[in-house]
Amino acid sequence: MEVPRTRRARLLHHVDENAQVVRGKTIASRPKELGLTVRGVLGEVNANSEVHREYSGKVALSTNQIEKKIQKPALRRNYCHVQSKIDTGLSAKSIQVSARPPLRREESTAGFATRAALLTRAAAKENIKRDCEGKENVLQGKVLSKEIKKPVKLIKELKDKKPVKDTAESFRKLKIGESLIISTRFEENSYYLPDDIEDIDAGDNNPLLMSIYIKDIYRYLTHLENIYPIEENYLKNQSIITGNMRATLIDWLVELQNQFSLLVETFQLAVGIIDRYLQAVSNVPKEKLQLIGVTAMFIASKYEEIYAPSIEDFAYITDNTYTKNDIIKCEKQIMTKLDFCLARPIPISFLRRFVKAAHGTSKNHHLAKYLVDLCLVEYSMAHYRPSELAAAAICLSLHLLSSAPLEEVWSPTLSYYSGYSFSHIEPIIRKISKIVYNIEKSKFQAVYQKYTSASLAKVSTLPQVKGTAIYDLIRSS
């Protein structure tokens, strides 16, 4: 029986006011029209609100029911490092649950070395299969092989061959196409340590510490230092930019690092990008220097951080002096001049290695980081290699926090793993001592204030950095 029009209108009246009726299906309106708040990166969400949506195009379910069906928590990006001072403007965006399946174990990089050996065998089998083409006849789904004795022999040898146990060996022997590439850069017998040198990697059974090829890694980092050097007094090509202006910029970047809670790797990489760019480009105008600094920090944060601040955050931190398009344009210019290579190592990478070789404490590590950061602000120290700064910093840190003489602190093990003798780093140590002793008179206080934090052991306020040991080093220089 047909429902009268008046009754039909009355029934439609009881439907939600904000709902839409399309082809007899009730489709929920948008959350904005319902007056509901949706949690973005920094916003809030009403967990008890029942937001009606059409799920899978069939039945309208509530938010809680959808979450139970998906059985996956809503993704949250950790943006707490900017929420106190910077409004990212992302609070109005809804959080989308990723439909991508979780990363499988074989897709991760943990078993790369093992997969490399398997790929080597797979490439050999593929070559054999290619050689056998044209020599086989297929009849009714059965393969009748002709005379192919040599490939069969090779397959048997591959099956009988034992798997490679050394993961470093699999990296050194990777078959690409028809040729077998054998690395001759790092020989097997090149790591026999002298009797008086401790093997600091002997007890590292954790695969994440990469003890098998950690020596190759640091030898390669040392090689990169020589490829991307910073010349002494490199600002001589600049007609306007001076060392004092560079120090002002780096001091501001330290405050930016603290405000965004960025990693120390991000800050040190940004300083390296700035120095390399200013060395490659001449006559940079004064009004562009801050843009170069904030863009370098933006590039470094994308390279190092897991949750990097957005480009809008970096534009906001400059008090909107520069726009988003200005930063993007400057980023293209910097990366072009650097040949899109950010591989130049940073001091913190070497410092961790040297602290391990010295069996230093966390206090030694924090004090050495403080000394390195002070050197990064100082223009007269910009030409030293990252490993030189790290070696001099850890040596001075060990000396200040112990009663041992400076020469005895630099042990043969430290000299071996750093590659520097004490006579090489002694002039650098004396320059660092002068910078530390006069820090309170300097107008660049960002690094000093940063290391007054309890999380960094308040190393900038230690009495040793103002004691007689520092004064003696300055007086004898």
Side-chain angles (χ1 to χ4, degrees):
M1 181 179 66
E2 183 179 357
V3 181
R5 293 185 179 180
T6 55
R7 184 179 177 185
R8 186 185 310 169
R10 192 179 304 112
L11 290 175
L12 293 177
H13 179 72
H14 291 286
V15 182
D16 187 3
E17 294 178 356
N18 295 311
Q20 300 175 7
V21 178
V22 179
R23 295 181 181 178
K25 294 184 179 180
T26 303
I27 302 176
S29 60
R30 293 171 295 182
K32 183 177 180 181
E33 296 175 356
L34 291 173
L36 302 176
T37 59
V38 179
R39 173 164 56 85
V41 176
L42 301 178
E44 299 295 334
V45 67
N46 185 1
N48 297 322
S49 62
E50 296 290 328
V51 182
H52 293 279
R53 299 176 182 175
E54 186 179 21
Y55 182 74
S56 302
K58 294 182 179 181
V59 184
L61 301 178
S62 64
T63 303
N64 295 336
Q65 291 172 330
I66 293 175
E67 291 179 353
K68 289 179 181 179
K69 279 185 171 291
I70 297 177
Q71 294 181 355
K72 189 180 295 184
L75 297 179
R76 291 190 62 184
R77 296 179 62 189
N78 185 9
Y79 246 94
C80 61
H81 55 285
V82 294
Q83 67 179 1
S84 59
K85 304 227 178 145
I86 304 298
D87 182 12
T88 61
L90 299 175
S91 59
K93 294 184 179 180
S94 60
I95 297 178
Q96 300 293 333
V97 178
S98 176
R100 183 179 179 181
L103 188 68
R104 298 193 302 270
R105 182 177 180 85
E106 58 270 17
E107 292 177 350
S108 64
T109 58
F112 180 77
T114 306
R115 295 199 308 276
L118 296 177
L119 289 174
T120 303
R121 298 183 183 181
K125 293 181 180 180
E126 184 66 23
N127 293 336
I128 294 172
K129 183 179 179 181
R130 197 181 302 114
D131 294 337
C132 295
E133 289 182 356
K135 298 182 179 181
E136 297 177 352
N137 295 324
V138 179
L139 296 177
Q140 296 179 359
K142 296 181 180 180
V143 179
L144 303 179
S145 302
K146 290 187 176 182
E147 296 280 333
I148 46 173
K149 297 180 180 179
K150 188 175 181 180
V152 171
K153 184 178 179 181
L154 289 176
I155 293 176
K156 185 177 180 181
E157 290 178 357
L158 286 173
K159 290 182 178 179
D160 296 338
K161 190 175 181 181
K162 295 181 179 180
V164 180
K165 294 182 179 180
D166 188 3
T167 55
E169 182 69 18
S170 64
F171 274 112
R172 283 188 282 268
K173 295 182 179 180
L174 296 178
K175 190 164 185 179
I176 302 178
E178 298 293 334
S179 61
L180 185 64
I181 299 177
I182 303 177
S183 173
T184 58
R185 177 179 173 83
F186 308 121
E187 298 296 337
E188 288 291 339
N189 299 328
S190 61
Y191 296 128
Y192 285 128
L193 299 179
D195 295 335
D196 59 338
I197 303 301
E198 176 190 0
D199 187 2
I200 62 176
D201 305 310
D204 294 340
N205 297 322
N206 188 345
L208 296 178
L209 296 177
M210 301 172 291
S211 60
I212 298 176
Y213 39 84
I214 191 66
K215 296 180 178 65
D216 290 346
I217 291 175
Y218 277 96
R219 182 180 292 188
Y220 178 64
L221 291 179
T222 305
H223 174 67
L224 290 177
E225 285 185 310
N226 299 325
I227 297 179
Y228 305 108
I230 301 296
E231 299 176 0
E232 186 174 4
N233 192 24
Y234 71 89
L235 289 179
K236 60 185 177 182
N237 298 326
Q238 302 293 336
S239 58
I240 301 176
I241 306 300
T242 63
N244 190 56
M245 295 169 62
R246 174 195 175 273
T248 303
L249 175 65
I250 304 302
D251 190 74
W252 176 72
L253 290 181
V254 176
E255 297 179 356
L256 180 61
Q257 178 203 359
N258 291 335
Q259 187 168 356
F260 283 161
S261 298
L262 301 176
L263 299 173
V264 64
E265 289 88 347
T266 303
F267 165 68
Q268 294 185 0
L269 179 59
V271 175
I273 292 173
I274 293 170
D275 289 336
R276 291 175 61 193
Y277 180 76
L278 293 179
Q279 180 176 253
V281 179
S282 58
N283 299 325
V284 175
K286 180 180 179 181
E287 59 272 10
K288 192 180 178 182
L289 184 60
Q290 188 183 14
L291 176 60
I292 294 172
V294 74
T295 305
M297 187 68 88
F298 175 56
I299 296 172
S301 64
K302 292 195 293 183
Y303 191 86
E304 294 286 352
E305 300 290 333
I306 298 177
Y307 299 108
S310 66
I311 191 171
E312 289 82 4
D313 296 333
F314 286 100
Y316 180 86
I317 205 66
T318 63
D319 199 15
N320 293 320
T321 304
Y322 308 104
T323 63
K324 174 182 174 180
N325 292 333
D326 293 335
I327 297 177
I328 293 176
K329 183 178 179 181
C330 185
E331 181 183 17
K332 293 179 181 178
Q333 294 173 354
I334 291 176
M335 295 305 296
T336 302
K337 284 297 180 181
L338 301 186
D339 294 329
F340 293 87
C341 181
L342 303 177
R344 184 177 186 267
I346 54 179
I348 189 63
S349 299
F350 293 100
L351 185 59
R352 293 191 178 107
R353 181 71 169 170
F354 300 159
V355 170
K356 181 180 180 180
H359 297 285
T361 63
S362 61
K363 201 172 206 178
N364 289 125
H365 184 56
H366 290 317
L367 181 57
K369 287 195 299 182
Y370 171 60
L371 301 177
V372 168
D373 285 358
L374 287 177
C375 294
L376 294 179
V377 178
E378 188 67 27
Y379 169 64
S380 61
M381 307 291 289
H383 66 282
Y384 287 111
R385 293 192 293 270
S387 59
E388 289 178 320
L389 293 179
I394 187 58
C395 184
L396 182 56
S397 174
L398 294 169
H399 172 63
L400 294 178
L401 298 180
S402 66
S403 57
L406 194 63
E407 295 83 357
E408 295 181 5
V409 164
W410 197 247
S411 63
T413 300
L414 271 172
S415 178
Y416 174 82
Y417 284 102
S418 65
Y420 300 117
S421 62
F422 177 75
S423 60
H424 182 91
I425 65 172
E426 185 180 11
I428 307 176
I429 293 175
R430 299 187 184 278
K431 290 182 179 180
I432 296 176
S433 302
K434 188 178 294 186
I435 295 173
V436 176
Y437 192 79
N438 297 324
I439 186 61
E440 292 184 357
K441 301 177 184 178
S442 175
K443 65 178 182 179
F444 307 117
Q445 295 288 314
V447 175
Y448 177 83
Q449 295 297 330
K450 171 185 173 182
Y451 284 90
T452 57
S453 172
S455 61
L456 297 173
K458 300 182 179 180
V459 292
S460 62
T461 61
L462 291 176
Q464 289 89 335
V465 298
K466 294 295 180 182
T468 57
I470 284 282
Y471 183 73
D472 293 340
L473 288 173
I474 297 175
R475 187 176 57 182
S476 59
S477 61

